[in-house]
Every structure is written in C-alpha cells, then in structure tokens.
Amino acid sequence: MEKKKIPLLHRDGVSYVLPFVLITACFALWGFANDITNPMVKAFAKIFRTTTTEGSLVQVAFYGGYFAMAFPAAVFIRKYSYKAGILLGLALYAVGALLFFPARLTGNFYPFLMAYFILTCGLSFLETSANPYILSMGSEETSTQRLNFAQSFNPIGSLFGMYVAMEFIQSRLSPLDTAGRAALTDAEFARVRDADLTVLIRPYLLIGLVIIALFLLIRFVKMPASADQSHKIDFLPTLRRIFRIPRYRDGVIAQFFYIGAQIMCWTFIIQYGTRIFLGQGMDERAAEVLSQQYNIAAMVLFCASRFICTFLLRYLNPGKLLLILAVAGGVFTLGVIGFTNVFGLYCLVAVSGCMSLMFPTIYGIALKGLGDDAKFGAAGLIMAILGGSVLPPLQAAVIDRGEFFGFPAVNLSFALPLICFAVVALYGYRTRRSA
C-alpha cells in the first residue's frame, strides 16, 4: 500500500512552518489545562469538605465553558479570522487562570468555578480556531493525519499538567485526610483550607503569565490567511446544511460520548486507585499520590499511542482504526468493572492507549468535505465536549453510593464509559469505508 505524505510546510507559496509550530503550542497548553484540572475534583472535595458529586462541579464548570462559547467562537472566527479567534481564546485563558488569585481571597468554592468557566471559554475559542486551521494547512486527503500529528502534542501538555498537579499541588496539600479535616473546628479548618488554596493557585497564576507571553508572540507573527475564504455569516442555514450530513451529525454525537468517556476515565482513576490501595493498608494521602502516578502512566501511554496511531493512519482507514480501538477500549473497560484489585487499574491505564486516536479522528472524519463551513462544523464538535460536563457527575453520583450489593460502586460506575465506547465503535463502523 502506498504511504501518504503529510504536506504542511507550504501552500500556494506561503510557509506554514512557524504558524504550525505556534498553533501546535496551543494544543499543548490546553492539554495542560485539561489535565491539571482532572485531579482537582478530588482536591477541591477535600479542601472544601464536599462530596465527590459536589467536587465534580469543577468538571461541569470546566466543560460547560466549552459548550457555551463554541458557536459564539465560530461566529467570531467567521467574521474575523482564525488568528483573531486564537488571540481571544488566549486572552480568556489568561484571565481565567489569573482569576484564581481573587477566588483564593474569597475562601469559597464557587468563585473557582467561575474562573474555570472563563478559562474554558478561552479554550473553546482556541479549539474552535486551531483544529480546523490545522486541517487547512495542506491537502484535504491527509487532513486527518495532520490533525492527529498536531494533536500528538496535546498529551505532552497533559502530562506536564498531571505532573504539576501531583508534585506541586497534591503532594503539598495538608496531609490531613477526609476524616481528620471533618474533626477540625471551623477556625482550624479555615486555616488549613486557605493554606491549601494558596498551594493550589500558584500553577494557575504561572500558566496565566505563560499564556500572556504566547499571546504577544502570536499577535506579532504574520499568520497565513488562506483558510479564511468567506466572512459571510449564514448561521442557521449553515447549521441546517451541515447537520443534514450523516457523517457530521453522527460525529458530533460520537464526540460527545468520547469526551465523556475520556474525562470519566481520567478523573476517577484516582478514586478507583485510592479504593484499591486503601484496601492494601495505605493511608489516604499515599493512596492518592500513587493513584496519580498511574494517571500519569495512562497519559504516557496515551501520548505514545497517538504518535503510533498517526503512523498507522498512513496505512489504515481512519474509520476502521477508530472501530478497532473503540472495541479494544470497551474490552479493557469490562476489566475495569470486573476486577476489584490492581489488575482493574492496569486495565484502566490501558484504556488510555485506546482513546488516543479518537478525538482528532472523529474530528477529521466529521469535517471532511465541509470546506469553509468547517468553521461552524468545528463549533458543533467543540460543543460536544459538553460530554465532559454532563457524564462525570453521573459517574460521581454512582461512586458516592459506596457499594451496590457488596460490589464497589466505583467499579460499577465504569459502565458509563463502556456505553460511550460502544457509541464510538458504531461511528467507526459506519465510517470505516467512507472516511
């Protein structure tokens, strides 16, 4: 079979090298934001003495921002340019990160949710702009490969986010476990809470400054405008037109369930691992730190698998490879549910290797052939990230039950990701020939 090259360096005599590098840096930066946030569900639940369900409001605020801003971002990008959308996204990202400082001064949980929401409004602009921009940097035939390559740098940022969460937040929080915090007086609890919040906000403030630096760099670099062909906004007619395309409409649904599965698997790996290690006699703090190490191992596998899958796409149809990995992810998820020991945790790590291909491949298949309508098409796919806001609280509600007829509820909660992988597998099956 003939290998497919990935042309991205030039188009119509214009170099895309520097723009490609700068936009790819944005992929890494929103990966950082996503994966420093997942462990914060557990951290905020401990800091503010909330339930897992209440702590999962972090994910509701985080991924709700993606949903709320996706179509406004598409309208903005259509009217102006991809570059303008990226700059506004970076600005909102920086503002949201820096708002962690006044949120810390309040000592209240809900201002942090507002900061997360604003931050992810920025991420929504970034993803709505950057993904179709990368797709436009070369021939449509290799667009899915090109996006997979750019998205390969997203888990590198995710790995860094996980590392920062583990080494600079979780390991430096007060060693008091949940029971110990519950026994504190109000004054003692306030002191511990404020100290923990000071630890928590520092990485967000630093990343806010990094984002400002990247904003200035992109602002003064000339970016190619070849993908911006039309600035006419026919919002509703365009939506009606693209949602009549089964490949696109089904792609939005598949993306919703994929993102839900991804966020559930990465958010609740800590709860899953903590239950196992507590059963082995570890204290809660040590169990959480060790579980986060498994989370990092999952992201390392995710990162390596994305580069491997990008290579495999030179030989395999995207829909067919998506189907294979979705089925494999479902099989490993059955192991996560069935095993009540460390083998279940191994299966949960392995699921990440199966997920690596899914987001950019669903994205590329769904947008194939949309041309300039990809700006609005991208918004629908970014709105589908709402799955990361809707589904994790459902899983958290199951986890809070503790047990079902003597079986760990945290294990049974992974039936939700299993359903999600079934939906993705169906999309892969339907597109295995046309993608």
Side-chain angles (χ1 to χ4, degrees), residues 156-390:
I156 294 174
S158 297
L159 274 172
F160 187 57
M162 287 181 174
Y163 175 77
V164 170
M166 183 177 71
E167 293 296 326
F168 295 96
I169 298 179
Q170 289 176 295
S171 66
R172 302 187 184 192
L173 296 178
S174 169
L176 284 172
D177 60 17
T178 303
R181 290 169 187 260
L184 296 175
T185 66
D186 288 344
E188 291 170 337
F189 170 70
R191 284 195 295 271
V192 172
R193 178 201 64 205
D194 291 346
D196 283 347
L197 289 176
T198 299
V199 169
L200 186 146
I201 69 169
R202 286 172 183 160
Y204 286 93
L205 300 182
L206 287 173
I207 197 63
L209 297 177
V210 171
I211 296 301
I212 290 172
L214 183 61
F215 174 94
L216 294 173
L217 182 60
I218 292 178
R219 169 65 182 82
F220 294 108
V221 167
K222 183 176 177 59
M223 304 288 282
S226 59
D228 300 311
Q229 299 167 4
S230 172
H231 298 287
K232 185 178 179 181
I233 300 172
D234 293 319
F235 185 67
L236 292 178
T238 301
L239 287 185
R240 284 195 295 267
R241 183 167 61 250
I242 64 177
F243 271 96
R244 290 194 187 104
I245 303 171
R247 184 179 63 248
Y248 175 76
R249 182 182 61 248
D250 295 346
V252 172
I253 295 169
Q255 200 75 288
F256 176 92
F257 283 96
Y258 163 65
I259 294 296
Q262 175 188 291
I263 301 309
M264 287 187 286
C265 290
W266 289 348
T267 298
F268 298 113
I269 189 172
I270 295 176
Q271 281 83 349
Y272 189 92
T274 297
R275 184 200 64 79
I276 292 171
F277 298 129
L278 286 176
Q280 295 177 355
M282 287 188 187
D283 62 68
E284 185 175 352
R285 180 186 178 87
E288 288 175 1
V289 171
L290 184 55
S291 297
Q292 178 64 359
Q293 291 174 357
Y294 276 89
N295 201 12
I296 290 178
M299 184 52 64
V300 170
L301 180 59
F302 182 90
C303 183
S305 179
R306 181 160 280 177
F307 282 102
I308 293 169
C309 288
T310 300
F311 174 77
L312 291 176
L313 283 171
R314 302 173 73 184
Y315 304 96
L316 290 175
N317 176 281
K320 186 179 293 184
L321 189 54
L322 180 66
L323 170 62
I324 292 168
L325 290 180
V327 170
V331 171
F332 282 122
T333 305
L334 286 172
V336 175
I337 297 169
F339 289 115
T340 58
N341 51 30
V342 73
F343 290 105
L345 194 54
Y346 295 157
C347 288
L348 188 49
V349 170
V351 167
S352 286
C354 302
M355 293 193 298
S356 64
L357 171 96
M358 294 180 184
F359 180 91
T361 301
I362 294 170
Y363 203 103
I365 293 172
L367 293 186
K368 187 175 181 180
L370 291 190
D372 206 41
D373 286 343
K375 294 174 182 178
F376 284 122
L381 289 161
I382 296 303
M383 284 186 74
I385 291 175
L386 183 69
S389 177
V390 171

Side-chain angles (χ1 to χ4, degrees), residues 119-139:
L119 186 154
T120 51
C121 284
L123 299 188
S124 186
F125 266 88
L126 283 180
E127 293 210 38
T128 304
S129 306
N131 284 296
Y133 200 8
I134 291 293
L135 288 173
S136 73
M137 291 183 181
S139 72

